Amino acid sequence: MEGDTFQQWKNQCLNKCDFSKKGSVDEDISHIVSFINSHDRYFTTSSCSGRIILFDGVSDCPDVQKRNCSWLFVTHQKCQREDVVTGLEKSVGDATFKFEPFVLHVQCKQLGDAQLLHTVAINSGLRNSGITVGKKGKIIMAVRSTHCLEVPLSHKGNVLTTDQYLDFLVGVANQKMDENLKRIERFYECLQGALQPQEQRCSLKEEADKKPIYRRRRKRTQDEPVTDCCQSIEKHHENSEEEMNCDLLFLS
C-alpha cells in the first residue's frame, strides 16, 4: 500500500505542468534530475541550478515577498556588470542584488532513502541540506548550500553604490557561481556511487581488491576534513539499519 501511494505521488508530480518562470529544468542540473527520477525510490519536486538576480522591492516595506517584487535581471550563468547596470536603471524601489546557490527538493519513499541522500549532499559540500516529514507522511530531502549573497544596491530608485564596488560585487557573485557548479558535479558523482545497485557496488569492490595499489599516502593535517564521499556512503550503508531504528523510535 505504501509503495502504491508513493508511486501515485510520483506520477502526479512528474506529469503536472511546470509553473516556474522558466518553464523547464535548468540545463546544468537536468542530468541530475533525470538520474534521480529514474530511480523508483525518489523523485524531484522542485529545483534550481543557482542564479544571480536583481529584483526591485517596495521601499519602506519590512517584509520582502515575491509578490511585492519585480525582477530586473536574472541569469543562471555568470553575469556582466553591464547587465546589472541596465537593471538598476529600471529600479524605482529598493533594488537588491542576490546570488542563490543550487537547490533541489526530492521526495523519498522511506526515511532511510532520505538519510542516504542527505549523506551524499553533506559530503558534497551542500551543508545546508535537511529532511522534513509532512503530516501525510511525505518525506522531503532538501539539497541546499550555504554560500549565498544578498546586497542592497538602491533605495527608492536612487543607486547607493559606486562603479568600483559594483565591479567587485559582480566578481564575487561569479566566483560563487563557479563554486556552485563544482559542488553540483561533486554531488552528481557522489550520487551515482550511492545509488548504484548493491550487487554492482560489491562487484566493483571485489575487482578493486584484486588489483594491487601502489601509492604514497599523503599525511593529513589534524584540521583537514575527510572528503572521501565513497567512504562515507559505505559507512552509511553499514549503519543504515541501526540509524533507521533510532530515527523511528524518535519519531514515535
Side-chain angles (χ1 to χ4, degrees):
M1 184 65 180
E2 177 186 352
D4 294 339
T5 302
F6 180 82
Q7 190 60 46
Q8 289 176 0
W9 287 337
K10 182 171 183 176
N11 293 339
Q12 291 173 359
C13 182
L14 298 184
N15 291 329
K16 71 180 182 181
C17 295
D18 188 337
F19 293 105
S20 64
K21 285 181 177 290
K22 185 178 179 182
S24 62
V25 177
D26 296 336
E27 183 179 354
D28 287 328
I29 58 171
S30 60
H31 58 303
I32 296 178
V33 171
S34 297
F35 181 71
I36 290 175
N37 289 333
S38 68
H39 287 260
D40 57 3
R41 308 188 71 83
Y42 301 97
F43 66 91
T44 60
T45 60
S46 65
S47 63
C48 178
S49 64
R51 61 189 180 183
I52 298 173
I53 58 176
L54 179 68
F55 62 90
D56 214 18
V58 179
S59 298
D60 302 323
C61 179
D63 298 323
V64 179
Q65 299 177 349
K66 284 187 176 181
R67 64 175 179 268
N68 294 327
C69 297
S70 60
W71 291 27
L72 304 175
F73 168 75
V74 59
T75 179
H76 292 82
Q77 307 296 328
K78 292 193 290 187
C79 70
Q80 303 293 327
R81 187 179 75 89
E82 291 74 17
D83 298 325
V84 182
V85 172
T86 301
L88 279 174
E89 293 173 352
K90 305 173 187 176
S91 173
V92 293
D94 293 351
T96 300
F97 181 76
K98 191 174 183 180
F99 167 77
E100 296 177 338
F102 163 59
V103 61
L104 180 69
H105 292 93
V106 183
Q107 186 164 334
C108 310
K109 190 171 184 177
Q110 294 183 343
L111 186 59
D113 302 320
Q115 289 175 320
L116 174 60
L117 203 60
H118 184 262
T119 301
V120 170
I122 294 299
N123 285 282
S124 301
L126 304 168
R127 300 187 179 278
N128 197 29
S129 301
I131 301 171
T132 58
V133 181
K135 294 181 179 179
K136 296 182 179 180
K138 293 183 178 181
I139 303 170
I140 303 295
M141 167 59 196
V143 181
R144 297 182 298 242
S145 189
T146 57
H147 62 302
C148 304
L149 176 68
E150 185 171 354
V151 182
L153 294 183
S154 73
H155 179 58
K156 295 183 178 180
N158 297 316
V159 178
L160 305 174
T161 182
T162 63
D163 291 342
Q164 182 179 6
Y165 181 69
L166 198 58
D167 284 333
F168 169 75
L169 200 59
V170 169
V172 172
N174 286 339
Q175 288 177 357
K176 288 181 177 292
M177 182 62 79
D178 284 335
E179 175 60 27
N180 182 65
L181 294 175
K182 291 178 182 178
R183 295 188 186 189
I184 288 174
E185 286 311 306
R186 196 181 309 147
F187 174 72
Y188 180 53
E189 291 174 2
C190 197
L191 184 67
Q192 286 180 303
L195 297 186
Q196 282 179 341
Q198 179 68 37
E199 58 271 14
Q200 186 176 351
R201 284 199 305 269
C202 293
S203 176
L204 291 174
K205 185 177 185 301
E206 290 174 0
E207 183 179 350
D209 290 341
K210 294 178 182 178
K211 296 180 180 180
I213 300 177
Y214 300 97
R215 64 182 178 185
R216 179 179 298 175
R217 299 187 63 183
R218 179 172 60 88
K219 184 177 181 181
R220 183 166 63 87
T221 61
Q222 184 176 359
D223 298 330
E224 183 180 349
V226 177
T227 57
D228 188 343
C229 182
C230 295
Q231 182 180 1
S232 299
I233 295 302
E234 289 297 327
K235 185 177 180 180
H236 171 88
H237 283 293
E238 292 173 1
N239 300 328
S240 59
E241 184 176 351
E242 180 180 350
E243 291 175 355
M244 274 292 293
N245 290 337
C246 292
D247 285 326
L248 291 174
L249 180 62
F250 173 77
L251 289 173
S252 61

